[in-house]
């Protein structure tokens, strides 16, 4: 595979040059109308986000069906704003973790802990901070909501990008070193294009994950004051509080329409464009298609900005010192002084954290209380493990089948996005009525709610991994007559393992997060609870017991870190060493 990707290649293919005829066509008219409509909607939504906070608090949000499209617009704007911040975070943090072992030693465990912290945990510390930036304005609460949605999107995207950069084919990495690429040139010409297919599928999953936590992000409580930002999340929260199944149904329908629209207008064209960056020597038999992508390809005026972007990226990739061929760099081990300084800094941080935890435990906790919470953590760990195994057995074969058939991937994509975006809160009434009506055990039947929104991380990552299998490897497997289990063992499982580990790791962290919602649910005056760490944290939060909440979050973080380092990190290392495309 002695060739290089180039992120500018996609822009040049989309718009071959600036010197072509600029006479407008019917495609320009349609595309400009679409862009104008989207711009007007975005400006209208942003302007309505700048009202005084007192007006928002004094005006309760009505469940008026005529306002639902406007609420859907505001929620979508918050989602895409959080997605933009998540992409910037992914490129910076993911690249730093992949390129520096020292940075990865801190970044990767930090991401493991952050993805296990509940969205409500972030809100409790950030709402006052953002409201201080914009006193008396709705913008402060808007920033807090966007940050909360960001915390439900960024970790999955960062893990995906990190995994892709750690599994860049060895021959491409060697050629990049020989050509003397700078860090910027390597990022634009190799890292970003290679990671693009998997990153896009995980971006879609993160977008859906934001919908899953949109209720907690838009219905915000600060002290004794509750602020409900206009949006689908607040609509759902109010409809659930009023036990209004009709309003819940309209909200779910609005979500489905919005997901279908941005799938067709944004994600489907991007998936079609990113297919150009797959690692392969032979052409694939079928490619994903998008009517929006085809429309842009037919335009004359609209291709001009794409051409300018392509030229700008090309200039950024080429500016700097002239590349000079060189031998592959040999990574030098750090010096003794540098190594001991680094170890001392890490030991100091760990010692300080241990001292704080010890002081907290001695001052506020008893041995019996800590033992009880550890036992509750073991029960939740058992639920998470069983659910991940069942979800893997179900969705890995489905994801492989879909990913290796681009035509089916296009059909499944919007359906999977909608199912992944389906908030667990919507199913609370049906779960309560089913468990009470059929006399089921809440300890068992509340558990599926934990994996409802997180199992799709496995599906989306497996689809991305299967769709990224080079066509020449598929043809080679066919020529050698690989079938059945031998084909899975020799081709499919090695190809999807890095992607599966990313999806399962994120699904595990998300399941711990979702346990706070799923192990203790209410519908009207009926309340069901399962024994576990999630229910303990939810109950402590409701009672305002900050010590119990802190203990629960610390124990949850310890369990997540332990599970990650005993299972997921070794699997990551195996995938990096043995199952990269080479």
């Amino acid at each position: 595979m002695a060739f290089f990707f180039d992120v500018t290649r996609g822009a040049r293919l989309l718009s071959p040059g600036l010197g072509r005829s600029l006479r407008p066509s019917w495609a320009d008219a349609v595309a400009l109308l679409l862009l104008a409509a989207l711009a007007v909607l975005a400006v209208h939504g942003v302007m309505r986000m700048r009202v005084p906070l007192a007006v928002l608090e004094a005006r309760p949000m009505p469940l008026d069906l005529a306002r639902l499209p406007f609420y859907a617009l505001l929620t979508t704007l918050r989602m895409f704003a959080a997605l933009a911040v998540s992409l910037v975070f992914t490129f910076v943090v993911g690249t730093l973790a992949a390129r520096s072992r020292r940075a990865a030693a801190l970044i990767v465990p930090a991401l493991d802990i952050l993805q296990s912290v509940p969205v409500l945990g972030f809100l409790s510390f950030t709402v006052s901070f953002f409201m201080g930036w914009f006193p008396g304005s709705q913008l402060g609460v808007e920033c807090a909501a966007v940050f909360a949605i960001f915390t439900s999107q960024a970790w999955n995207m960062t893990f995906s990008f990190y995994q892709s950069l750690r599994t860049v084919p060895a021959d491409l990495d060697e050629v990049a070193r020989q050509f003397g690429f700078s860090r910027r040139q390597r990022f634009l010409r190799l890292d970003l294009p290679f990671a693009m297919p998997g990153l896009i599928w995980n971006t879609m999953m993160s977008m859906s994950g934001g919908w899953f936590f949109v209720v907690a992000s838009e219905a915000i409580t600060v002290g004794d004051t509750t602020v409900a930002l206009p949006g689908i999340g607040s609509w759902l929260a109010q409809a659930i509080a009023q036990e209004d199944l009709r309003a819940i149904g309209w909200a779910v329908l609005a979500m489905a329409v919005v997901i279908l629209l941005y799938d067709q207008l944004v994600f489907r064209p991007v998936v079609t464009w990113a297919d150009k960056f797959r690692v392969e020597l032979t052409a694939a038999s079928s490619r994903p298609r998008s009517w929006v992508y085809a429309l842009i390809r037919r335009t004359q005026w609209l291709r001009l900005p794409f051409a300018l972007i392509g030229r700008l990226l090309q200039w950024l990739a080429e500016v700097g010192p002239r590349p000079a061929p060189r031998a592959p760099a040999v990574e030098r081990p750090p010096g003794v002084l540098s190594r001991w300084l680094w170890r001392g800094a890490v030991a100091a941080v760990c010692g300080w954290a241990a001292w704080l935890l010890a002081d907290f435990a001695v001052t506020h906790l008893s041995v019996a209380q800590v033992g009880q919470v550890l036992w509750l953590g073991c029960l939740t760990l058992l639920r998470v493990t069983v659910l991940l195994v069942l979800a893997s057995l179900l969705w890995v074969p489905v994801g492989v089948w879909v990913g290796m058939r681009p035509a089916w991937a296009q059909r499944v994509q919007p359906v999977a996005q909608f199912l992944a975006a389906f908030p667990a809160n919507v199913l609370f009434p049906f779960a309560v009525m089913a468990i009470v009506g059929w006399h089921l055990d809440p300890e068992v039947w509340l558990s599926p709610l934990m994996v409802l929104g997180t199992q799709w991380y496995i599906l989306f990552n497996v689809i991305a991994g299967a769709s990224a299998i080079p066509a020449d490897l598929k043809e080679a497997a066919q020529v050698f007559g690989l079938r059945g289990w031998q084909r899975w063992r020799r081709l499919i499982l090695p190809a999807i393992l890095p992607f599966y580990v990313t999806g399962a790791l994120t699904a595990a962290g998300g399941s711990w997060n979702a346990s706070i919602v799923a192990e203790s649910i209410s519908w009207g005056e009926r309340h069901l609870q399962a024994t576990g760490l999630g229910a303990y944290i939810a109950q402590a939060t409701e009672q305002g017991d900050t010590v119990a909440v802190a203990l629960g979050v610390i124990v949850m973080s310890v369990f997540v870190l332990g599970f990650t380092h005993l299972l997921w990190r070794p699997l990551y290392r195996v995938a990096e060493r043995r199952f990269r495309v080479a």
Side-chain angles (χ1 to χ4, degrees):
M1 256 171 253
F3 69 96
F4 265 99
F5 294 109
D6 187 353
V7 76
T8 64
R9 173 175 171 239
R12 290 199 300 271
L13 286 170
L14 187 61
S15 182
L18 295 173
R20 300 185 58 174
S21 172
L22 294 180
R23 289 183 301 174
S25 63
W26 64 269
D28 285 286
V30 176
L32 288 175
L33 284 175
L34 282 174
L35 289 177
L38 293 176
V40 169
L41 288 174
V43 171
H44 177 65
V46 170
M47 295 302 295
R48 293 294 297 269
M49 291 179 177
R50 303 181 63 181
V51 300
L53 187 59
V55 175
L56 187 65
E57 295 174 349
R59 184 179 58 194
M61 191 185 74
L63 295 180
D64 184 3
L65 188 60
R67 296 175 177 265
L68 188 56
F70 176 64
Y71 295 158
L73 171 65
L74 295 179
T75 298
T76 306
L77 290 176
R78 297 183 189 110
M79 301 277 287
F80 275 99
L83 193 65
V85 179
S86 299
L87 282 172
V88 175
F89 180 88
T90 295
F91 292 149
V92 175
V93 177
T95 304
L96 183 61
R99 295 289 167 253
S100 171
R101 292 184 179 180
R102 294 179 177 179
L106 295 178
I107 291 175
V108 175
L111 292 177
D112 291 334
I113 296 175
L114 289 172
Q115 72 168 342
S116 67
V117 176
V119 172
L120 291 177
F122 288 107
L123 280 174
S124 61
F125 295 103
T126 58
V127 170
S128 300
F129 172 75
F130 284 111
M131 290 181 68
W133 276 13
F134 305 96
S137 173
Q138 182 181 337
L139 282 177
V141 188
E142 292 285 354
C143 291
V146 169
F147 181 80
I149 298 173
F150 158 81
T151 61
S152 66
Q153 295 177 342
W155 324 132
N156 173 55
M157 296 166 59
T158 306
F159 275 123
S160 170
F161 196 68
Y162 168 76
Q163 168 260 314
S164 296
L165 267 56
R166 294 292 295 175
T167 55
V168 171
D171 51 348
L172 296 184
D173 181 74
E174 181 180 350
V175 175
R177 294 178 183 274
Q178 290 179 346
F179 276 110
F181 280 179
S182 65
R183 293 182 180 179
R184 179 180 61 254
Q185 291 170 328
R186 179 189 172 91
F187 180 81
L188 291 175
R189 291 188 178 275
L190 177 59
D191 293 341
L192 182 57
F194 179 78
M196 192 68 72
L199 177 61
I200 289 173
W201 278 97
N202 278 278
T203 300
M204 291 189 289
M205 181 61 231
S206 294
M207 189 73 172
S208 299
W211 283 103
F212 190 80
F213 293 104
V214 74
V215 174
S217 303
E218 291 183 347
I220 301 174
T221 300
V222 185
D224 297 329
T225 304
T226 299
V227 180
L229 291 172
I232 292 183
S234 296
W235 173 291
L236 276 173
Q238 189 166 342
I240 292 172
Q242 297 179 6
E243 301 185 36
D244 191 342
L245 290 176
R246 179 174 172 272
I248 293 176
W250 281 115
V252 172
L253 179 61
M255 285 175 51
V257 172
V258 169
I259 291 171
L260 180 63
L261 286 175
Y262 69 62
D263 172 73
Q264 292 292 319
L265 297 177
V266 179
F267 287 127
R268 187 72 61 86
V270 174
V271 168
T272 305
W273 170 75
D275 189 69
K276 304 178 187 302
F277 301 122
R278 293 201 307 170
V279 179
E280 57 187 16
L281 294 177
T282 60
S285 57
S286 58
R287 297 287 191 184
R289 297 181 179 179
S290 165
W291 65 270
V292 174
Y293 184 82
L295 177 69
I296 296 175
R297 292 270 294 176
R298 292 189 180 98
T299 60
Q300 298 295 334
W301 286 4
L302 196 59
R303 287 196 299 181
L304 181 62
F306 285 101
L308 293 174
I309 294 173
R311 296 289 177 86
L312 175 61
L313 291 175
Q314 185 176 7
W315 177 81
L316 288 175
E318 294 176 353
V319 71
R322 186 176 181 178
R326 63 182 183 184
V330 178
E331 185 177 356
R332 292 183 176 181
V336 176
L337 179 60
S338 175
R339 184 167 60 249
W340 280 105
L341 286 176
W342 175 253
R343 291 177 178 177
V346 173
V349 172
C350 294
W352 177 67
W355 180 82
L356 289 179
L357 290 177
D359 180 70
F360 172 78
V362 171
T363 307
H364 300 94
L365 304 174
S366 63
V367 176
Q369 186 178 4
V370 174
Q372 178 195 6
V373 176
L374 289 174
W375 169 245
L376 295 177
C378 292
L379 294 179
T380 302
L381 173 63
L382 178 62
R383 291 192 179 97
V384 170
T385 304
V386 172
L387 290 171
L388 281 181
V389 171
L390 295 177
S392 299
L393 292 175
L394 173 63
W395 294 118
V396 167
V398 173
V400 169
W401 190 89
V402 172
M404 301 185 74
R405 293 164 177 81
W408 273 98
Q410 294 185 66
R411 301 170 190 170
V412 171
Q413 179 181 323
V415 178
Q417 286 186 70
F418 173 72
L419 293 176
F422 205 79
N425 312 65
V426 175
L427 293 181
F428 284 0
F430 307 102
V432 170
M433 288 186 286
I435 293 174
V436 173
W438 294 341
H439 305 287
L440 301 175
D441 187 1
E443 301 287 348
V444 176
W445 294 101
L446 286 180
S447 301
L449 294 176
M450 293 171 54
V451 79
L452 176 69
T454 58
Q455 60 184 334
W456 310 108
Y457 289 108
I458 298 176
L459 175 62
F460 272 67
N461 277 276
V462 171
I463 291 177
S467 62
I469 298 177
D472 48 310
L473 292 185
K474 298 178 187 177
E475 294 175 2
Q478 186 176 2
V479 169
F480 283 105
L482 297 182
R483 289 182 176 84
W485 170 243
Q486 191 178 20
R487 184 168 181 261
W488 275 82
R489 187 169 63 89
R490 295 288 186 181
L491 173 65
I492 297 176
L493 290 180
I496 68 171
L497 180 61
F499 296 86
Y500 169 77
V501 173
T502 298
L505 170 64
T506 313
S511 297
W512 281 97
N513 198 334
S515 68
I516 298 175
V517 179
E519 290 183 347
S520 179
I521 67 174
S522 299
W523 174 248
E525 298 180 353
R526 295 177 290 275
H527 181 76
L528 295 177
Q529 182 171 312
T531 306
L533 185 58
Y536 174 84
I537 296 176
Q539 186 177 1
T541 303
E542 184 178 353
Q543 297 173 354
D545 190 347
T546 56
V547 173
V549 172
L551 175 61
V553 171
I554 291 171
V555 171
M556 182 175 289
S557 300
V558 170
F559 271 97
V560 171
L561 279 177
F563 202 66
T564 298
H565 284 276
L566 290 175
L567 178 62
W568 302 123
R569 290 301 156 215
L571 283 177
Y572 255 127
R573 289 191 289 270
V574 170
E576 292 173 10
R577 290 195 307 265
R578 299 185 55 189
F579 299 123
R580 66 168 63 186
V581 178

